Amino acid sequence: MPSTTKNTDKDPILSARGLTMRFGAIEVLSDVSLDLFRGEVHAVIGENGAGKSTLMKILAGHLQPSSGQILLDGMPFVAAGPTQTEAAGIVLIHQEILLAPHLTVAQNIFLGREIRRGIAVNDREMNRRSVKALQVLGIEIDPTREVERLSIAQRQLVQIARALSVPHRIVIFDEPSASLTPVETEALFRVINDLRDKGIAVLYISHRLGEVKSIANRVTVLRDGKFVATRDVAEVEPLDMAKLMVGRDMANLYPPRKARILGEVALETKNFSVMGFAENIDFSVRYGEILGFAGLIGAGRTELFEGLIGLRRNTGNVQARQISGRIPTPRAGMDAGIVYLSEDRKGKGLLLAQNLASNLTLAALAKFRKGLFVDRKREMAALETAVQDFDIRTGDLHLQAGQLSGGNQQKLLLAKMMQLEPGIVIVDEPTRGVDIGAKEQIYKFIADLADQGKAVIVISSEMQELIGLCDRILVMRLGRIVGEVKGEDMNEEHIVVLATGAHSLGAAA
């Protein structure tokens, strides 16, 4: 576990004093103050909409506060923009991926500050330094590979490597581990500990309260845009933090586990392979069951199911109702009652620039047609029902999907796919970037699907999430299923042993 030894100076390197942010008549941040010291990791937590990202954007120069003041080294600091803030040594690592997809890894890491040899760009040197920057994060990625060919997790690591290659003395991490598995997160923690040991100040935003307990010295809690408390992490446990965040007890985060009555096999694969990602995959899931898929980055979990629903080239056999052989397209899968909720809800799951009703009905548009046109009255009625059933928190039904918080976007995506009335639901990273209050609701939705007799497959990088939700878990490594855990064996130790290959090493010894 990473060290949380405190190593701070007496005076803060950065202070926020009474920061308030209004967008029109709406106040999203209200009189928030915070001190950050050299050589400390200071976590900021709160539900979606609590004001965390707004606060970070103000500190990083992306937004100008409506009122309040920022002090840097005890002096008033007003940044004209993020470029000036970076020049002062303040670096923000965004939760959203802000890379150029058609450029290579190295070109993204050095974008805007390319290494040159004469007038020409020195690609060889940028590639060499990129390899070293990524190795620090515990990952090897070909620096000449285009970013669009990387997984979400790999893109996040490239983005972190890019930010840390800029001279810095204050680093702000906004949900850096949201798409990382525990092993990659540990590598990130080693980097953060190294920053702290060098006297760098770190602000760390995360919904994963166990991480906060592991890595942070102090934690500040925001709720509804207001300051709630700052505590030494040694004095609070994750459940204490959760209670401060949401104002209620969160001891029962996962739905009570019940002995489900399982139906017939809903989906089965035999010798199923996805070119370059998964090989000879055999598994089955029954109606009424929640089946988990665990594994490290690069294990092939997401690619396996993208292949299964026809998004990637595949071979082998898939058996389900109305399906025998393979699923040629996602639409064919949907028609057969199989839906897939992508881990990339912003890139693949929702149309962020479209309104909520259009997003809700898009996959099942035939249900809402009236002749050649969409029955808007019926569409809005469906949206009103979905907002109530899935607790999608929006003050305006005419918002764009991109204006919702991460948790509410995920609920909208769930509601969208349920319009198809599927029998098999595949959910990839259901709570990535989602606050603990929304997690509790999403877990209940997933459990309810199984209780309704649907077959549910959950792909997640959070082992506790899989353990808390699933009836059994299949573990993948290097494109293959390497084991199953269930019953008393369903714990983090058994999953990690299988995911890392330690079981085979032990057998060989």
Side-chain angles (χ1 to χ4, degrees):
M1 182 177 291
S3 165
T4 56
T5 303
K6 199 170 180 179
N7 177 25
T8 62
D9 292 343
K10 182 177 179 181
D11 297 320
I13 185 174
L14 181 73
S15 296
R17 291 287 176 263
L19 292 181
T20 297
M21 188 73 205
R22 302 182 188 89
F23 294 104
I26 300 174
E27 191 169 85
V28 296
L29 203 66
S30 178
D31 193 28
V32 171
S33 297
L34 175 147
D35 287 324
L36 178 64
F37 294 88
R38 295 171 181 82
E40 81 160 339
V41 177
H42 191 134
V44 179
I45 62 174
E47 293 189 89
N48 287 113
K52 306 183 303 296
S53 291
T54 299
L55 174 61
M56 297 307 111
K57 288 176 181 177
I58 290 173
L59 297 178
H62 292 263
L63 292 174
Q64 294 298 320
S66 303
S67 61
Q69 187 180 45
I70 298 171
L71 302 176
L72 183 63
D73 297 319
M75 301 296 292
F77 178 72
V78 180
T83 301
Q84 186 177 343
T85 306
E86 277 197 7
I90 304 172
V91 177
L92 170 62
I93 299 172
H94 296 264
Q95 177 184 0
E96 305 303 331
I97 305 299
L98 303 177
L99 300 174
H102 302 303
L103 297 182
T104 68
V105 168
Q107 288 168 343
N108 269 280
I109 288 176
F110 288 96
L111 187 62
R113 44 193 177 80
E114 290 80 1
I115 299 172
R116 295 186 178 274
R117 184 171 52 195
I119 61 172
V121 173
N122 191 341
D123 286 310
R124 178 179 292 181
E125 181 61 19
M126 291 197 305
N127 290 340
R128 186 186 69 81
R129 294 192 191 183
S130 295
V131 168
K132 286 190 173 182
L134 290 164
Q135 284 176 341
V136 169
L137 293 170
I139 190 168
E140 293 185 5
I141 301 175
D142 181 355
T144 66
R145 193 173 192 181
E146 290 84 4
V147 161
E148 64 185 350
R149 297 174 58 202
L150 302 180
S151 69
I152 295 294
Q154 289 172 324
R155 294 180 199 184
Q156 178 71 345
L157 290 167
V158 170
Q159 183 157 277
I160 293 171
R162 169 179 164 77
L164 295 182
S165 65
V166 175
H168 50 269
R169 55 195 187 119
I170 299 169
V171 181
I172 304 171
F173 289 92
D174 190 355
E175 293 286 352
S177 66
S179 58
L180 305 182
T181 62
V183 171
E184 285 75 32
T185 299
E186 281 295 316
L188 174 63
F189 282 1
R190 287 192 290 271
V191 172
I192 293 175
N193 275 323
D194 185 55
L195 292 173
R196 172 167 44 199
D197 292 344
K198 292 176 180 176
I200 305 296
V202 176
L203 268 176
Y204 190 87
I205 302 174
S206 180
H207 289 125
R208 298 180 174 181
L209 303 184
E211 289 184 2
V212 171
K213 181 68 177 177
S214 295
I215 195 68
N217 302 116
R218 293 189 298 146
V219 57
T220 289
V221 184
L222 301 181
R223 189 195 310 149
D224 299 326
K226 298 180 176 63
F227 172 86
V228 174
T230 294
R231 298 279 190 271
D232 285 340
V233 167
E235 299 173 357
V236 290
E237 295 302 320
L239 282 177
D240 301 321
M241 299 180 208
K243 188 173 182 179
L244 287 169
M245 283 171 55
V246 301
R248 64 183 189 276
D249 191 0
M250 295 296 295
N252 299 315
L253 180 60
Y254 297 102
R257 188 180 297 280
K258 57 181 71 174
R260 296 190 176 93
I261 300 174
L262 302 185
E264 64 183 91
V265 171
L267 176 70
E268 185 174 24
T269 67
K270 292 288 187 183
N271 297 320
F272 188 81
S273 298
V274 179
M275 310 307 181
F277 295 101
E279 187 175 359
N280 297 330
I281 300 295
D282 296 347
F283 78 89
S284 65
V285 60
R286 293 181 176 274
Y287 288 108
E289 180 181 26
I290 302 178
L291 174 64
F293 270 77
L296 305 181
I297 290 176
R301 296 165 302 160
T302 292
E303 293 82 3
L304 166 64
F305 286 96
E306 287 180 345
L308 190 145
I309 64 164
L311 284 173
R312 293 180 182 271
R313 291 179 58 196
N314 62 80
T315 61
N317 188 269
V318 178
Q319 294 289 332
R321 288 178 183 173
Q322 305 178 48
I323 294 289
S324 180
R326 60 188 295 271
I327 301 173
T329 65
R331 174 49 63 183
M334 291 179 193
D335 292 342
I338 303 171
V339 297
Y340 171 70
L341 282 71
S342 169
E343 67 169 333
D344 185 7
R345 62 175 176 264
K346 295 179 183 292
K348 299 177 182 177
L350 298 173
L351 300 175
L352 299 185
Q354 297 297 316
N355 62 40
L356 305 184
S358 297
N359 272 279
L360 177 71
T361 61
L362 183 61
L365 205 54
K367 289 174 53 177
F368 298 91
R369 285 198 180 280
K370 192 174 184 180
L372 297 176
F373 303 97
V374 175
D375 186 337
R376 298 299 178 190
K377 185 175 180 180
R378 194 172 166 203
E379 189 179 59
M380 285 303 296
L383 177 61
E384 290 173 0
T385 300
V387 165
Q388 180 175 353
D389 289 350
F390 288 84
D391 192 25
I392 301 170
R393 298 183 183 181
T394 171
D396 183 354
L397 294 179
H398 300 283
L399 288 179
Q400 294 178 350
Q403 293 175 287
L404 296 179
S405 69
N408 286 303
Q409 286 180 3
Q410 190 70 319
K411 289 188 240 177
L412 176 62
L413 184 55
L414 278 165
K416 168 187 171 180
M417 289 309 186
M418 291 309 104
Q419 297 298 314
L420 290 162
E421 300 178 7
I424 302 166
V425 181
I426 304 165
V427 191
D428 199 345
E429 300 291 357
T431 62
R432 182 169 67 86
V434 169
D435 68 68
I436 194 165
K439 279 186 177 185
E440 182 185 29
Q441 292 180 306
I442 291 170
Y443 295 153
K444 185 178 184 302
F445 295 150
I446 290 172
D448 285 347
L449 291 176
D451 292 341
Q452 293 164 20
K454 301 183 188 299
V456 184
I457 296 172
V458 177
I459 308 158
S460 178
S461 299
E462 292 194 40
M463 287 185 286
Q464 276 300 327
E465 182 167 271
L466 293 174
I467 294 165
L469 275 177
C470 298
D471 300 303
R472 60 191 175 97
I473 301 168
L474 298 178
V475 183
M476 288 187 67
R477 179 174 181 268
L478 300 177
R480 293 177 178 270
I481 293 176
V482 292
E484 176 185 274
V485 292
K486 59 184 179 180
E488 294 181 358
D489 290 334
M490 206 153 66
N491 55 56
E492 291 192 28
E493 181 181 351
H494 280 92
I495 295 171
V496 169
V497 165
L498 288 166
T500 58
H503 64 299
S504 59
L505 292 175

